[in-house]
Amino acid sequence: MTDEIQRSIGAAVRATRAERGESMRTVAERAGISQPMLSKVENAQILPSLTTVYGLAAALEVPAASLLPAVGGAGEPLHFVVDEPGPAPTAQLLSGGAGASFHVYVITGRAGDDDGRDFQHPGQEFVYVVSGVAHLRRGDQVDRVAAGESITYDGAVAHRWSVLEDARYLLVSTS
């Protein structure tokens, strides 16, 4: 399954970049990754982290979901590390991907895990914390969100999550 996902993401990134007539070096630089890493993504040699997918989407000026295969129904979710290297949560895309108007993730993290870098994208996000405690940083603002609590915010504002106590949360994002 992972090979198929890698091929799908790589093909979507390559096709979008080619359609825009941009070099690998230019796109990689704007996405905050190396050109060799972009080559590995495009050639399905690695499964990129979720922050890399969002970085590539921003560099290509497309919704991140357009680079992901469609997921939903009774199928297997897509599993990602949120960022590398370092301690980062894991994410499962339960529903969404290319063509979807919203995307549902379950994020699981241990105390000390962090998104690694800011996310910034069009649309709204809703997060419900199932267990544990997490912090949402948006600029200078920090919100503590604990089990049983939820928050909605604008995805266009640079944001990142960090885990204070082992946590599991549901994230719903619109395109």
Side-chain angles (χ1 to χ4, degrees), residues 111-132:
D113 285 357
D114 184 88
D115 283 352
R117 54 184 151 160
D118 289 348
F119 283 77
Q120 192 168 8
H121 52 83
Q124 295 287 306
E125 287 194 343
F126 166 82
V127 172
Y128 174 78
V129 177
V130 176
S131 63

Side-chain angles (χ1 to χ4, degrees), residues 146-158:
E149 298 176 341
S150 63
I151 190 166
T152 301
Y153 53 94
D154 184 356
V157 175

Side-chain angles (χ1 to χ4, degrees), residues 20-37:
R20 294 176 55 90
E22 296 193 89
S23 72
M24 290 181 91
R25 177 165 282 130
T26 299
V27 171
E29 187 175 292
R30 284 200 317 256
I33 62 173
S34 68
Q35 184 275 322
M37 173 132 175

Side-chain angles (χ1 to χ4, degrees), residues 47-88:
L47 178 62
S49 69
L50 201 53
T51 52
T52 297
V53 171
Y54 273 79
L56 286 167
L60 294 166
E61 298 176 340
V62 298
S66 70
L67 303 178
L68 300 173
V71 175
E76 182 74 20
L78 298 184
H79 297 268
F80 293 94
V81 168
V82 175
D83 196 29
E84 300 172 305

Side-chain angles (χ1 to χ4, degrees), residues 1 22 28 45 68 71 73 86 91 94 131 140 142 147 149 156 168 174:
M1 184 72 158
E22 296 193 89
Q45 294 173 337
L68 300 173
V71 175
L94 302 178
S131 63
D140 293 335
V142 178
E149 298 176 341
R168 187 173 176 90
T174 63

